[in-house]
Amino acid sequence: PGGATRVLITSRTPDWPGDLGVQRHRLGVLRREESVALLRQQRPDLSDNDADALAEELGDLPLALHLAGRFLARFGRVLTPEAYLAELRSPRLFERLPLREQDGALPTGHSRDVARTFALSYERLDPQGAEDALAVRLLARAAYLVPGEVVPAELLRATLEQADDDLDAQLAAEAALERLVGLGLLEREGEDSLRLHRLTGSYVRQVSGDTTAQAAVERAVLGMAQALVLSLI
């Protein structure tokens, strides 16, 4: 468009070519007080402790908070906030207590289903392609680190157990990481750190068929810990 027109694009892709002249405005999760306020739109009677615990467990993700508040408002007579929180901590979160509603889509056209929101990105990974197959492996391993917390990208790359002198493998791993960041499944924090939202981690652990991921993470963590100890001796 010309003249004074401006275009606002919402995208999961964080990296845009500099020559496009795009001004980026990063949108993260809610601040804790905003999360509590969103929950109380549906359940005004939530105590400070209950609201804070729910917001923490849901990683301050707006859609998840909205659905949690709606669920508690609907079933509050038979399900206490404490019981709901216990369900959220189930390893089969998206099956046992669906974070979804049955009344169609949001006004934006987006699904009222947290799992489906993640699936829109996850299902764009083609396991038949070399880069995407590696990205799927990395994402499964990220889900067994500490979802919700910042982790060194070096640690995540180490879970692939590649040779240190294999430049091609290192470049492939970096391309796979960029693919995950581009899909919004991983976030970059600073120069060489990453974050996986805790609900994304729960979703990936549930749908991933990678039975080697957890053991690979354990070996990588132990290896880096041993190297750190030796460097201090």
Side-chain angles (χ1 to χ4, degrees):
T5 304
R6 298 290 183 270
V7 176
L8 177 65
I9 302 172
T10 59
S11 173
R12 294 171 187 253
T13 302
D15 297 319
W16 293 75
D19 58 357
L20 290 181
V22 172
Q23 297 181 30
R24 292 176 295 174
H25 301 276
R26 181 179 177 182
L27 297 178
V29 296
L30 298 180
R31 298 191 303 273
R32 182 53 51 83
E33 61 268 24
E34 294 173 325
S35 298
V36 170
L38 184 56
L39 284 167
R40 283 179 172 157
Q41 285 180 4
Q42 309 294 338
R43 279 292 300 267
D45 60 323
L46 279 177
S47 70
D48 289 343
N49 287 340
D50 286 341
D52 185 72
L54 286 167
E56 176 70 22
E57 194 65 30
L58 294 171
D60 298 293
L61 190 68
L63 177 59
L65 291 161
H66 168 78
L67 296 178
R70 288 288 295 269
F71 194 97
L72 285 170
R74 183 178 180 184
F75 297 106
R77 292 184 181 86
V78 295
L79 189 71
T80 66
E82 293 82 1
Y84 184 86
L85 187 61
E87 290 292 314
L88 289 178
R89 291 169 175 161
S90 163
R92 307 298 292 181
L93 163 64
F94 297 104
E95 290 181 2
R96 287 170 55 82
L97 190 72
L99 282 169
R100 63 173 65 93
E101 287 183 347
Q102 304 300 323
D103 56 349
L106 292 163
T108 58
H110 292 82
S111 170
R112 294 179 185 267
D113 184 336
V114 173
R116 187 62 198 154
T117 299
F118 299 144
L120 289 174
S121 290
Y122 187 81
E123 291 173 1
R124 291 180 63 186
L125 294 169
D126 178 9
Q128 303 304 314
E131 181 177 298
D132 279 10
L134 190 57
V136 169
R137 289 179 61 203
L138 277 169
L139 187 60
R141 283 151 176 73
Y144 282 101
L145 284 168
V146 191
E149 302 297 330
V150 175
V151 298
E154 178 186 4
L155 175 57
L156 181 54
R157 288 191 293 263
T159 64
L160 293 175
E161 300 174 303
Q162 298 169 327
D164 293 337
D165 59 352
D166 190 338
L167 180 58
D168 288 340
Q170 293 175 21
L171 292 174
E174 189 61 26
L177 280 178
E178 288 301 324
R179 174 72 167 142
L180 294 173
V181 171
L183 288 173
L185 292 166
L186 281 180
E187 294 181 70
R188 285 207 177 272
E189 297 283 346
E191 288 296 320
D192 201 38
S193 296
L194 301 161
R195 187 195 302 271
L196 177 72
H197 192 279
R198 61 191 309 161
L199 289 183
T200 309
S202 295
Y203 172 79
V204 172
R205 288 193 300 273
Q206 184 165 318
V207 301
S208 174
D210 189 340
T211 59
T212 68
Q214 184 174 0
V217 167
E218 291 170 355
R219 288 192 296 270
V221 171
L222 287 173
M224 293 195 74
Q226 290 169 355
L228 179 61
V229 170
L230 290 176
S231 70
L232 298 175
I233 295 177

